[in-house]
Amino acid sequence: MNLRDLLSPFFVWQRAFEKPYTSIRPTIDRPGAPAYRGFHINVSEECVGCGSCHSICQNHAIDMVPAAEFEGRTGDSGLRPRFDYGRCCWCGLCVDICTAASLRMSNEYAWISEDPDEFHFTAGVDDKPWQNNEHGYRRAEGYHLYPPKRIEMDMLSPDESVQSFEEVARGYSEAQAKLEADRCVECGICVATCPAHMDVPDYIHSIRDGDYEKGLQLMYRTNPFPATCGRICTRRCESVCPVGILGEPVAIRWLKRFIVDQVDAKDYPRILNDQIIESGHRVAIIGAGPGGLSAAYYLRKKGHAVTVFEAGETAGGMLRYGVPSYRLPDADLDKDIAYIVSLGVDIRYNTRIGKDIDFEQLLQDYAAVFLSTGLSVPSNMRIQGEDHARVLSGLQVLADVASGRDPGIGSRVAVIGGGNVAMDAARVSRRLGAEVTILYRRRIADMPADEEEIHESQEEGCNIVPQAIPVEIIAADKPQQVSIKWGEAEMVQDPTGGRPRPVLQEDRMHTDTYDCIISAIGQGSDLDFLSKENQQQLAIEWGKFTPGEYQQSALQKVFVGGDVANRTADAISAIEDGHHAARGIERLLNPDGFTATQTDNTGEPA
Amino acid sequence: MNELLERLQRHFDVNNINVLKPGMTTLKIGKDSAEILIRELRDREGYTHLNFITCIDYIEDGIFTLVYMLHNYDSKHTLGVHVDIDREHEEMTSIHTLWAQAWTYQRELREMYGINFPGSPRLDEDFCLEGWDQIPPMRREFDTRVFSEERFGHREGRHSEVPRVHMKMELYPKRGGDEE
């Protein structure tokens, strides 16, 4: 170091009084480029809290945190992304993956604070000046990190499908299933909406891994009818799938079916490995439908002896008699049922409670009863002449066909109703060679039937006449025919805000003659097997139960479920009712919780 | 344009010709003929400008695809020359003798993908990543998340919830699959 180095700082001072070379100019706010990747914007109203931004972030800069105002919404986790700007690198992957396209970036880039903890905020929830910024990075139109369209299911053409009762949906190939599985972001929002809360992302993941045995195990955790639900589930899961916000939802139902189709029934015992240690308790189940057999499965797993009382000659309930085999082949329903029965479930066929055995007797002989008798009585149209011999019920037609009997519908048929039973009865009639007209009171958009069923029935040549109200059934000239008088309806807005009401137009009446009229406007329960006293004890109202916690009825040892005890009246809800009732019965029989007998062969608690 | 492609196809084994949009075409050429083709395009076909060189990692196929983007100012046409190289033997002829600026791109590709360009000036000097001690970060086997977890600090008090678990706790705590 020399002397000059020591003195040079002082030489600089002499310039302090010279005219500066630089000048002070006012600070100008320079906005970022229009597509600049600045601070994050989240439109929280559109966000569903799927957490894909959190999952994709390579810097672990995003947390999902509860946002109270969004809790409890259908298809919304109630969580919102919180950003740690100590870690963010503004790569924009979170914007690119966002399933709802609610996450964006502003072109704002200046944020000054002396407190480092300030750079940590929940976009769209914490108030930030750039939340409504119209510029900044957006995902380009048409740019998706996963394909927005689902893999199409191969279907029989309508010309082919009406020729037979062969299954219409052909199933995915392995390559198709893997591509479809790859569209799942594994957020798990669907799990809450699924009535049975199936482990959807996990079993879809098992397809990615090609581990179908794991997939099957995961499904049986919550649903012992996967072959069935993989075909005919009402799939409410798909209605909330976040992938469906910008594209088509993941085909969850077809993926479930794919897994089951890959596994041979003879391998089920080895894969599912249900070890049963007898508890010594006996439980009775009334009705061998999806609810009853689901309860039977989970009760057997807890070691209870299960006896199922079934009035019909086969098991499956409405799945057997109400769902035609072109949607659910018998072999697939049997695959599910056979495994449940193989665990030692005793099914007493052709045994009607109230006739062959008294309900009171069950209460005495069994530690608990699960009642799941479904809705088996067709509702009346409540019009004159409907007791005509050529007026058939949709349920009866479906049951006849399922049992191999000829329902005798003739060659020109009118179906009354707009639900799934009406669509099924119509499509069955087409397969029996009949010309089919469907009369429905409201608009096609109002039909309660599955959209897919409405579409397929039209494709198969069923003629849907909407806004048609049946008025009277009249005897026709020939005894094997029947006439229906019906009137056109106008939809009138309900001033109280309810759904529009069809109003009969008296001046636009028609009378048509058919070989038969199939009435399918709904169904009710048949609880006549219970005595008046039992009915009172069970607090039945309007032919339905209102179960309490764990599906328990007003009688302590009676649990109820399925269509007779829920509003949704679909298979998956019945399956969940059965599962939950099994839990309730387990609590009743083992009030101290899981006992020492509840272990499997690994010694782990089951 | 078609005439150009015909001329090229007469002398070179070019394939995968793909018209991306008017004024932009890509084609593929084998590694050994690539430098000669690019030289031909520069000297005889008017593609005098090198826009950039970049790379795509097709890890599943075991290849890097190098992309040489060339421009012809007279015809206002851009031509992308794609060259596949083996990921295990990631080496390519340097073209810094054709365009001096090429060595900068090649230095970047060396740093980001680990591709070697023998003879390219200053190839092994740090480019953007000073003091980088990991595998090249644009190679897809580089796990960005693990790196950032290990390398960067963690803010106190952070907590994240899993949507599915949160919904179960809030909406149906007693239902769903029993925990085993």
Side-chain angles (χ1 to χ4, degrees), chain A residues 55 60 63-64 71 84 87 199 549 576 583, chain B residues 145 153 155 158 160-161 164 174-176:
Chain A
S55 306
H60 188 50
D63 292 328
M64 298 304 294
E71 295 278 14
D84 181 351
R87 296 183 72 90
D199 301 305
E549 210 185 14
E576 168 62 7
R583 239 181 237 130
Chain B
R145 195 189 304 244
R155 192 189 290 271
R158 274 186 54 182
S160 189
E161 301 209 21
R164 181 179 163 180
K174 291 172 183 166
R175 291 176 182 260

mmCIF file with all atom_site columns, all heavy atoms in Angstrom, chain A residues 55 60 63-64 71 84 87 199 549 576 583, chain B residues 145 153 155 158 160-161 164 174-176:
data_model
loop_
_atom_site.group_PDB
_atom_site.id
_atom_site.type_symbol
_atom_site.label_atom_id
_atom_site.label_alt_id
_atom_site.label_comp_id
_atom_site.label_asym_id
_atom_site.label_entity_id
_atom_site.label_seq_id
_atom_site.pdbx_PDB_ins_code
_atom_site.Cartn_x
_atom_site.Cartn_y
_atom_site.Cartn_z
_atom_site.occupancy
_atom_site.B_iso_or_equiv
_atom_site.pdbx_formal_charge
_atom_site.auth_seq_id
_atom_site.auth_comp_id
_atom_site.auth_asym_id
_atom_site.auth_atom_id
_atom_site.pdbx_PDB_model_num
ATOM 1   N N   . SER A 1 55  ? -48.239 -28.032 -5.917 1.00 0.00 ? 55  SER A N   1
ATOM 2   C CA  . SER A 1 55  ? -47.562 -29.271 -6.301 1.00 0.00 ? 55  SER A CA  1
ATOM 3   C C   . SER A 1 55  ? -46.499 -29.033 -7.355 1.00 0.00 ? 55  SER A C   1
ATOM 4   O O   . SER A 1 55  ? -45.462 -29.692 -7.350 1.00 0.00 ? 55  SER A O   1
ATOM 5   C CB  . SER A 1 55  ? -48.570 -30.282 -6.861 1.00 0.00 ? 55  SER A CB  1
ATOM 6   O OG  . SER A 1 55  ? -49.607 -30.483 -5.956 1.00 0.00 ? 55  SER A OG  1
ATOM 7   N N   . HIS A 1 60  ? -40.848 -24.728 -3.777 1.00 0.00 ? 60  HIS A N   1
ATOM 8   C CA  . HIS A 1 60  ? -41.584 -24.816 -2.521 1.00 0.00 ? 60  HIS A CA  1
ATOM 9   C C   . HIS A 1 60  ? -41.944 -23.411 -2.027 1.00 0.00 ? 60  HIS A C   1
ATOM 10  O O   . HIS A 1 60  ? -41.760 -23.070 -0.862 1.00 0.00 ? 60  HIS A O   1
ATOM 11  C CB  . HIS A 1 60  ? -40.746 -25.568 -1.483 1.00 0.00 ? 60  HIS A CB  1
ATOM 12  C CG  . HIS A 1 60  ? -41.480 -25.884 -0.234 1.00 0.00 ? 60  HIS A CG  1
ATOM 13  N ND1 . HIS A 1 60  ? -42.713 -26.474 -0.226 1.00 0.00 ? 60  HIS A ND1 1
ATOM 14  C CD2 . HIS A 1 60  ? -41.173 -25.674 1.077  1.00 0.00 ? 60  HIS A CD2 1
ATOM 15  C CE1 . HIS A 1 60  ? -43.124 -26.612 1.015  1.00 0.00 ? 60  HIS A CE1 1
ATOM 16  N NE2 . HIS A 1 60  ? -42.210 -26.129 1.825  1.00 0.00 ? 60  HIS A NE2 1
ATOM 17  N N   . ASP A 1 63  ? -47.793 -22.293 -0.344 1.00 0.00 ? 63  ASP A N   1
ATOM 18  C CA  . ASP A 1 63  ? -48.505 -23.096 0.649  1.00 0.00 ? 63  ASP A CA  1
ATOM 19  C C   . ASP A 1 63  ? -49.993 -22.989 0.362  1.00 0.00 ? 63  ASP A C   1
ATOM 20  O O   . ASP A 1 63  ? -50.461 -21.976 -0.152 1.00 0.00 ? 63  ASP A O   1
ATOM 21  C CB  . ASP A 1 63  ? -48.257 -22.555 2.066  1.00 0.00 ? 63  ASP A CB  1
ATOM 22  C CG  . ASP A 1 63  ? -46.819 -22.755 2.504  1.00 0.00 ? 63  ASP A CG  1
ATOM 23  O OD1 . ASP A 1 63  ? -46.213 -23.741 2.074  1.00 0.00 ? 63  ASP A OD1 1
ATOM 24  O OD2 . ASP A 1 63  ? -46.320 -21.911 3.276  1.00 0.00 ? 63  ASP A OD2 1
ATOM 25  N N   . MET A 1 64  ? -50.747 -24.042 0.699  1.00 0.00 ? 64  MET A N   1
ATOM 26  C CA  . MET A 1 64  ? -52.203 -23.951 0.610  1.00 0.00 ? 64  MET A CA  1
ATOM 27  C C   . MET A 1 64  ? -52.728 -23.691 2.022  1.00 0.00 ? 64  MET A C   1
ATOM 28  O O   . MET A 1 64  ? -52.507 -24.507 2.922  1.00 0.00 ? 64  MET A O   1
ATOM 29  C CB  . MET A 1 64  ? -52.795 -25.248 0.049  1.00 0.00 ? 64  MET A CB  1
ATOM 30  C CG  . MET A 1 64  ? -52.346 -25.581 -1.373 1.00 0.00 ? 64  MET A CG  1
ATOM 31  S SD  . MET A 1 64  ? -52.679 -24.290 -2.594 1.00 0.00 ? 64  MET A SD  1
ATOM 32  C CE  . MET A 1 64  ? -54.474 -24.287 -2.627 1.00 0.00 ? 64  MET A CE  1
ATOM 33  N N   . GLU A 1 71  ? -64.644 -21.895 2.610  1.00 0.00 ? 71  GLU A N   1
ATOM 34  C CA  . GLU A 1 71  ? -64.841 -23.220 3.189  1.00 0.00 ? 71  GLU A CA  1
ATOM 35  C C   . GLU A 1 71  ? -66.246 -23.725 2.891  1.00 0.00 ? 71  GLU A C   1
ATOM 36  O O   . GLU A 1 71  ? -67.200 -22.951 2.872  1.00 0.00 ? 71  GLU A O   1
ATOM 37  C CB  . GLU A 1 71  ? -64.659 -23.179 4.719  1.00 0.00 ? 71  GLU A CB  1
ATOM 38  C CG  . GLU A 1 71  ? -63.256 -22.838 5.171  1.00 0.00 ? 71  GLU A CG  1
ATOM 39  C CD  . GLU A 1 71  ? -62.299 -24.026 5.168  1.00 0.00 ? 71  GLU A CD  1
ATOM 40  O OE1 . GLU A 1 71  ? -62.635 -25.068 4.571  1.00 0.00 ? 71  GLU A OE1 1
ATOM 41  O OE2 . GLU A 1 71  ? -61.205 -23.893 5.748  1.00 0.00 ? 71  GLU A OE2 1
ATOM 42  N N   . ASP A 1 84  ? -44.547 -17.324 -0.916 1.00 0.00 ? 84  ASP A N   1
ATOM 43  C CA  . ASP A 1 84  ? -43.369 -16.890 -0.178 1.00 0.00 ? 84  ASP A CA  1
ATOM 44  C C   . ASP A 1 84  ? -42.387 -16.317 -1.196 1.00 0.00 ? 84  ASP A C   1
ATOM 45  O O   . ASP A 1 84  ? -41.735 -17.069 -1.939 1.00 0.00 ? 84  ASP A O   1
ATOM 46  C CB  . ASP A 1 84  ? -42.759 -18.096 0.550  1.00 0.00 ? 84  ASP A CB  1
ATOM 47  C CG  . ASP A 1 84  ? -41.529 -17.693 1.352  1.00 0.00 ? 84  ASP A CG  1
ATOM 48  O OD1 . ASP A 1 84  ? -41.071 -16.540 1.204  1.00 0.00 ? 84  ASP A OD1 1
ATOM 49  O OD2 . ASP A 1 84  ? -41.030 -18.546 2.117  1.00 0.00 ? 84  ASP A OD2 1
ATOM 50  N N   . ARG A 1 87  ? -38.745 -17.297 -1.888 1.00 0.00 ? 87  ARG A N   1
ATOM 51  C CA  . ARG A 1 87  ? -38.358 -18.489 -2.638 1.00 0.00 ? 87  ARG A CA  1
ATOM 52  C C   . ARG A 1 87  ? -38.814 -18.466 -4.094 1.00 0.00 ? 87  ARG A C   1
ATOM 53  O O   . ARG A 1 87  ? -38.292 -19.237 -4.898 1.00 0.00 ? 87  ARG A O   1
ATOM 54  C CB  . ARG A 1 87  ? -38.923 -19.744 -1.961 1.00 0.00 ? 87  ARG A CB  1
ATOM 55  C CG  . ARG A 1 87  ? -38.368 -19.999 -0.581 1.00 0.00 ? 87  ARG A CG  1
ATOM 56  C CD  . ARG A 1 87  ? -38.911 -21.292 -0.009 1.00 0.00 ? 87  ARG A CD  1
ATOM 57  N NE  . ARG A 1 87  ? -38.340 -22.457 -0.678 1.00 0.00 ? 87  ARG A NE  1
ATOM 58  C CZ  . ARG A 1 87  ? -37.241 -23.074 -0.289 1.00 0.00 ? 87  ARG A CZ  1
ATOM 59  N NH1 . ARG A 1 87  ? -36.601 -22.667 0.792  1.00 0.00 ? 87  ARG A NH1 1
ATOM 60  N NH2 . ARG A 1 87  ? -36.771 -24.105 -0.950 1.00 0.00 ? 87  ARG A NH2 1
ATOM 61  N N   . ASP A 1 199 ? -60.870 -43.287 -2.814 1.00 0.00 ? 199 ASP A N   1
ATOM 62  C CA  . ASP A 1 199 ? -59.514 -42.732 -2.932 1.00 0.00 ? 199 ASP A CA  1
ATOM 63  C C   . ASP A 1 199 ? -59.166 -42.544 -4.409 1.00 0.00 ? 199 ASP A C   1
ATOM 64  O O   . ASP A 1 199 ? -58.249 -43.184 -4.941 1.00 0.00 ? 199 ASP A O   1
ATOM 65  C CB  . ASP A 1 199 ? -58.502 -43.675 -2.274 1.00 0.00 ? 199 ASP A CB  1
ATOM 66  C CG  . ASP A 1 199 ? -58.823 -43.891 -0.805 1.00 0.00 ? 199 ASP A CG  1
ATOM 67  O OD1 . ASP A 1 199 ? -58.931 -42.883 -0.090 1.00 0.00 ? 199 ASP A OD1 1
ATOM 68  O OD2 . ASP A 1 199 ? -58.970 -45.045 -0.381 1.00 0.00 ? 199 ASP A OD2 1
ATOM 69  N N   . GLU A 1 549 ? -76.900 -40.268 13.110 1.00 0.00 ? 549 GLU A N   1
ATOM 70  C CA  . GLU A 1 549 ? -75.483 -40.502 12.923 1.00 0.00 ? 549 GLU A CA  1
ATOM 71  C C   . GLU A 1 549 ? -75.217 -41.990 12.700 1.00 0.00 ? 549 GLU A C   1
ATOM 72  O O   . GLU A 1 549 ? -75.869 -42.835 13.315 1.00 0.00 ? 549 GLU A O   1
ATOM 73  C CB  . GLU A 1 549 ? -74.720 -40.010 14.165 1.00 0.00 ? 549 GLU A CB  1
ATOM 74  C CG  . GLU A 1 549 ? -73.340 -39.549 13.824 1.00 0.00 ? 549 GLU A CG  1
ATOM 75  C CD  . GLU A 1 549 ? -72.551 -39.172 15.063 1.00 0.00 ? 549 GLU A CD  1
ATOM 76  O OE1 . GLU A 1 549 ? -72.969 -39.512 16.179 1.00 0.00 ? 549 GLU A OE1 1
ATOM 77  O OE2 . GLU A 1 549 ? -71.507 -38.552 14.904 1.00 0.00 ? 549 GLU A OE2 1
ATOM 78  N N   . GLU A 1 576 ? -72.244 -46.288 0.294  1.00 0.00 ? 576 GLU A N   1
ATOM 79  C CA  . GLU A 1 576 ? -71.708 -45.537 1.427  1.00 0.00 ? 576 GLU A CA  1
ATOM 80  C C   . GLU A 1 576 ? -72.586 -45.718 2.664  1.00 0.00 ? 576 GLU A C   1
ATOM 81  O O   . GLU A 1 576 ? -72.073 -45.876 3.775  1.00 0.00 ? 576 GLU A O   1
ATOM 82  C CB  . GLU A 1 576 ? -71.584 -44.052 1.074  1.00 0.00 ? 576 GLU A CB  1
ATOM 83  C CG  . GLU A 1 576 ? -71.314 -43.127 2.247  1.00 0.00 ? 576 GLU A CG  1
ATOM 84  C CD  . GLU A 1 576 ? -69.993 -43.397 2.973  1.00 0.00 ? 576 GLU A CD  1
ATOM 85  O OE1 . GLU A 1 576 ? -69.204 -44.234 2.498  1.00 0.00 ? 576 GLU A OE1 1
ATOM 86  O OE2 . GLU A 1 576 ? -69.781 -42.783 4.031  1.00 0.00 ? 576 GLU A OE2 1
ATOM 87  N N   . ARG A 1 583 ? -69.975 -49.296 10.172 1.00 0.00 ? 583 ARG A N   1
ATOM 88  C CA  . ARG A 1 583 ? -69.187 -48.605 11.187 1.00 0.00 ? 583 ARG A CA  1
ATOM 89  C C   . ARG A 1 583 ? -70.021 -48.378 12.457 1.00 0.00 ? 583 ARG A C   1
ATOM 90  O O   . ARG A 1 583 ? -69.552 -48.594 13.579 1.00 0.00 ? 583 ARG A O   1
ATOM 91  C CB  . ARG A 1 583 ? -68.770 -47.254 10.634 1.00 0.00 ? 583 ARG A CB  1
ATOM 92  C CG  . ARG A 1 583 ? -67.309 -47.030 10.582 1.00 0.00 ? 583 ARG A CG  1
ATOM 93  C CD  . ARG A 1 583 ? -67.043 -45.636 10.031 1.00 0.00 ? 583 ARG A CD  1
ATOM 94  N NE  . ARG A 1 583 ? -66.199 -45.735 8.876  1.00 0.00 ? 583 ARG A NE  1
ATOM 95  C CZ  . ARG A 1 583 ? -66.419 -45.163 7.711  1.00 0.00 ? 583 ARG A CZ  1
ATOM 96  N NH1 . ARG A 1 583 ? -67.509 -44.436 7.529  1.00 0.00 ? 583 ARG A NH1 1
ATOM 97  N NH2 . ARG A 1 583 ? -65.591 -45.304 6.727  1.00 0.00 ? 583 ARG A NH2 1
ATOM 98  N N   . ARG B 2 145 ? -36.533 -29.325 -7.460 1.00 0.00 ? 145 ARG B N   1
ATOM 99  C CA  . ARG B 2 145 ? -37.161 -29.190 -6.150 1.00 0.00 ? 145 ARG B CA  1
ATOM 100 C C   . ARG B 2 145 ? -36.217 -29.617 -5.028 1.00 0.00 ? 145 ARG B C   1
ATOM 101 O O   . ARG B 2 145 ? -36.084 -28.933 -4.021 1.00 0.00 ? 145 ARG B O   1
ATOM 102 C CB  . ARG B 2 145 ? -38.458 -29.998 -6.099 1.00 0.00 ? 145 ARG B CB  1
ATOM 103 C CG  . ARG B 2 145 ? -39.313 -29.613 -4.907 1.00 0.00 ? 145 ARG B CG  1
ATOM 104 C CD  . ARG B 2 145 ? -40.472 -30.551 -4.739 1.00 0.00 ? 145 ARG B CD  1
ATOM 105 N NE  . ARG B 2 145 ? -41.287 -30.628 -5.940 1.00 0.00 ? 145 ARG B NE  1
ATOM 106 C CZ  . ARG B 2 145 ? -42.536 -30.244 -6.012 1.00 0.00 ? 145 ARG B CZ  1
ATOM 107 N NH1 . ARG B 2 145 ? -43.123 -29.721 -4.975 1.00 0.00 ? 145 ARG B NH1 1
ATOM 108 N NH2 . ARG B 2 145 ? -43.214 -30.387 -7.118 1.00 0.00 ? 145 ARG B NH2 1
ATOM 109 N N   . GLY B 2 153 ? -32.964 -21.136 2.126  1.00 0.00 ? 153 GLY B N   1
ATOM 110 C CA  . GLY B 2 153 ? -33.462 -21.077 3.488  1.00 0.00 ? 153 GLY B CA  1
ATOM 111 C C   . GLY B 2 153 ? -34.966 -21.284 3.569  1.00 0.00 ? 153 GLY B C   1
ATOM 112 O O   . GLY B 2 153 ? -35.680 -21.165 2.582  1.00 0.00 ? 153 GLY B O   1
ATOM 113 N N   . ARG B 2 155 ? -38.520 -20.197 5.521  1.00 0.00 ? 155 ARG B N   1
ATOM 114 C CA  . ARG B 2 155 ? -39.129 -19.170 6.366  1.00 0.00 ? 155 ARG B CA  1
ATOM 115 C C   . ARG B 2 155 ? -39.809 -19.835 7.558  1.00 0.00 ? 155 ARG B C   1
ATOM 116 O O   . ARG B 2 155 ? -40.470 -20.858 7.416  1.00 0.00 ? 155 ARG B O   1
ATOM 117 C CB  . ARG B 2 155 ? -40.162 -18.413 5.537  1.00 0.00 ? 155 ARG B CB  1
ATOM 118 C CG  . ARG B 2 155 ? -40.654 -17.138 6.187  1.00 0.00 ? 155 ARG B CG  1
ATOM 119 C CD  . ARG B 2 155 ? -41.822 -16.561 5.415  1.00 0.00 ? 155 ARG B CD  1
ATOM 120 N NE  . ARG B 2 155 ? -41.440 -16.026 4.111  1.00 0.00 ? 155 ARG B NE  1
ATOM 121 C CZ  . ARG B 2 155 ? -41.039 -14.776 3.903  1.00 0.00 ? 155 ARG B CZ  1
ATOM 122 N NH1 . ARG B 2 155 ? -40.962 -13.928 4.901  1.00 0.00 ? 155 ARG B NH1 1
ATOM 123 N NH2 . ARG B 2 155 ? -40.733 -14.370 2.686  1.00 0.00 ? 155 ARG B NH2 1
ATOM 124 N N   . ARG B 2 158 ? -44.098 -21.364 8.265  1.00 0.00 ? 158 ARG B N   1
ATOM 125 C CA  . ARG B 2 158 ? -44.883 -21.713 7.084  1.00 0.00 ? 158 ARG B CA  1
ATOM 126 C C   . ARG B 2 158 ? -45.569 -23.049 7.298  1.00 0.00 ? 158 ARG B C   1
ATOM 127 O O   . ARG B 2 158 ? -45.038 -23.957 7.937  1.00 0.00 ? 158 ARG B O   1
ATOM 128 C CB  . ARG B 2 158 ? -43.988 -21.770 5.852  1.00 0.00 ? 158 ARG B CB  1
ATOM 129 C CG  . ARG B 2 158 ? -43.826 -20.426 5.202  1.00 0.00 ? 158 ARG B CG  1
ATOM 130 C CD  . ARG B 2 158 ? -43.057 -20.533 3.912  1.00 0.00 ? 158 ARG B CD  1
ATOM 131 N NE  . ARG B 2 158 ? -43.643 -21.502 2.994  1.00 0.00 ? 158 ARG B NE  1
ATOM 132 C CZ  . ARG B 2 158 ? -43.128 -21.794 1.806  1.00 0.00 ? 158 ARG B CZ  1
ATOM 133 N NH1 . ARG B 2 158 ? -42.025 -21.199 1.419  1.00 0.00 ? 158 ARG B NH1 1
ATOM 134 N NH2 . ARG B 2 158 ? -43.711 -22.672 1.035  1.00 0.00 ? 158 ARG B NH2 1
ATOM 135 N N   . SER B 2 160 ? -48.521 -25.765 5.132  1.00 0.00 ? 160 SER B N   1
ATOM 136 C CA  . SER B 2 160 ? -49.398 -25.994 3.993  1.00 0.00 ? 160 SER B CA  1
ATOM 137 C C   . SER B 2 160 ? -50.322 -27.170 4.283  1.00 0.00 ? 160 SER B C   1
ATOM 138 O O   . SER B 2 160 ? -49.925 -28.126 4.946  1.00 0.00 ? 160 SER B O   1
ATOM 139 C CB  . SER B 2 160 ? -48.569 -26.289 2.736  1.00 0.00 ? 160 SER B CB  1
ATOM 140 O OG  . SER B 2 160 ? -49.411 -26.303 1.614  1.00 0.00 ? 160 SER B OG  1
ATOM 141 N N   . GLU B 2 161 ? -51.564 -27.067 3.784  1.00 0.00 ? 161 GLU B N   1
ATOM 142 C CA  . GLU B 2 161 ? -52.505 -28.164 3.982  1.00 0.00 ? 161 GLU B CA  1
ATOM 143 C C   . GLU B 2 161 ? -52.765 -28.881 2.668  1.00 0.00 ? 161 GLU B C   1
ATOM 144 O O   . GLU B 2 161 ? -52.733 -28.282 1.600  1.00 0.00 ? 161 GLU B O   1
ATOM 145 C CB  . GLU B 2 161 ? -53.829 -27.616 4.539  1.00 0.00 ? 161 GLU B CB  1
ATOM 146 C CG  . GLU B 2 161 ? -53.601 -26.896 5.852  1.00 0.00 ? 161 GLU B CG  1
ATOM 147 C CD  . GLU B 2 161 ? -54.796 -26.949 6.770  1.00 0.00 ? 161 GLU B CD  1
ATOM 148 O OE1 . GLU B 2 161 ? -55.643 -27.837 6.584  1.00 0.00 ? 161 GLU B OE1 1
ATOM 149 O OE2 . GLU B 2 161 ? -54.873 -26.095 7.650  1.00 0.00 ? 161 GLU B OE2 1
ATOM 150 N N   . ARG B 2 164 ? -57.232 -32.533 -0.004 1.00 0.00 ? 164 ARG B N   1
ATOM 151 C CA  . ARG B 2 164 ? -58.064 -33.683 0.280  1.00 0.00 ? 164 ARG B CA  1
ATOM 152 C C   . ARG B 2 164 ? -58.182 -33.956 1.788  1.00 0.00 ? 164 ARG B C   1
ATOM 153 O O   . ARG B 2 164 ? -59.261 -34.271 2.303  1.00 0.00 ? 164 ARG B O   1
ATOM 154 C CB  . ARG B 2 164 ? -57.382 -34.842 -0.420 1.00 0.00 ? 164 ARG B CB  1
ATOM 155 C CG  . ARG B 2 164 ? -58.029 -36.095 -0.297 1.00 0.00 ? 164 ARG B CG  1
ATOM 156 C CD  . ARG B 2 164 ? -57.173 -37.047 -1.101 1.00 0.00 ? 164 ARG B CD  1
ATOM 157 N NE  . ARG B 2 164 ? -57.533 -38.360 -0.688 1.00 0.00 ? 164 ARG B NE  1
ATOM 158 C CZ  . ARG B 2 164 ? -56.981 -39.449 -1.174 1.00 0.00 ? 164 ARG B CZ  1
ATOM 159 N NH1 . ARG B 2 164 ? -56.048 -39.328 -2.084 1.00 0.00 ? 164 ARG B NH1 1
ATOM 160 N NH2 . ARG B 2 164 ? -57.362 -40.604 -0.764 1.00 0.00 ? 164 ARG B NH2 1
ATOM 161 N N   . LYS B 2 174 ? -65.739 -38.584 9.826  1.00 0.00 ? 174 LYS B N   1
ATOM 162 C CA  . LYS B 2 174 ? -65.978 -39.966 10.261 1.00 0.00 ? 174 LYS B CA  1
ATOM 163 C C   . LYS B 2 174 ? -66.181 -40.924 9.102  1.00 0.00 ? 174 LYS B C   1
ATOM 164 O O   . LYS B 2 174 ? -66.471 -42.098 9.306  1.00 0.00 ? 174 LYS B O   1
ATOM 165 C CB  . LYS B 2 174 ? -67.202 -40.008 11.169 1.00 0.00 ? 174 LYS B CB  1
ATOM 166 C CG  . LYS B 2 174 ? -66.943 -39.339 12.509 1.00 0.00 ? 174 LYS B CG  1
ATOM 167 C CD  . LYS B 2 174 ? -68.207 -39.212 13.300 1.00 0.00 ? 174 LYS B CD  1
ATOM 168 C CE  . LYS B 2 174 ? -67.924 -38.477 14.611 1.00 0.00 ? 174 LYS B CE  1
ATOM 169 N NZ  . LYS B 2 174 ? -69.167 -38.052 15.256 1.00 0.00 ? 174 LYS B NZ  1
ATOM 170 N N   . ARG B 2 175 ? -66.121 -40.404 7.872  1.00 0.00 ? 175 ARG B N   1
ATOM 171 C CA  . ARG B 2 175 ? -66.393 -41.281 6.728  1.00 0.00 ? 175 ARG B CA  1
ATOM 172 C C   . ARG B 2 175 ? -65.136 -41.535 5.917  1.00 0.00 ? 175 ARG B C   1
ATOM 173 O O   . ARG B 2 175 ? -64.046 -41.159 6.291  1.00 0.00 ? 175 ARG B O   1
ATOM 174 C CB  . ARG B 2 175 ? -67.484 -40.651 5.850  1.00 0.00 ? 175 ARG B CB  1
ATOM 175 C CG  . ARG B 2 175 ? -68.844 -40.644 6.540  1.00 0.00 ? 175 ARG B CG  1
ATOM 176 C CD  . ARG B 2 175 ? -69.882 -39.927 5.689  1.00 0.00 ? 175 ARG B CD  1
ATOM 177 N NE  . ARG B 2 175 ? -71.172 -39.875 6.342  1.00 0.00 ? 175 ARG B NE  1
ATOM 178 C CZ  . ARG B 2 175 ? -72.175 -40.702 6.072  1.00 0.00 ? 175 ARG B CZ  1
ATOM 179 N NH1 . ARG B 2 175 ? -72.037 -41.636 5.164  1.00 0.00 ? 175 ARG B NH1 1
ATOM 180 N NH2 . ARG B 2 175 ? -73.330 -40.595 6.700  1.00 0.00 ? 175 ARG B NH2 1
ATOM 181 N N   . GLY B 2 176 ? -65.336 -42.183 4.758  1.00 0.00 ? 176 GLY B N   1
ATOM 182 C CA  . GLY B 2 176 ? -64.204 -42.483 3.882  1.00 0.00 ? 176 GLY B CA  1
ATOM 183 C C   . GLY B 2 176 ? -63.485 -43.745 4.321  1.00 0.00 ? 176 GLY B C   1
ATOM 184 O O   . GLY B 2 176 ? -63.966 -44.472 5.191  1.00 0.00 ? 176 GLY B O   1
#
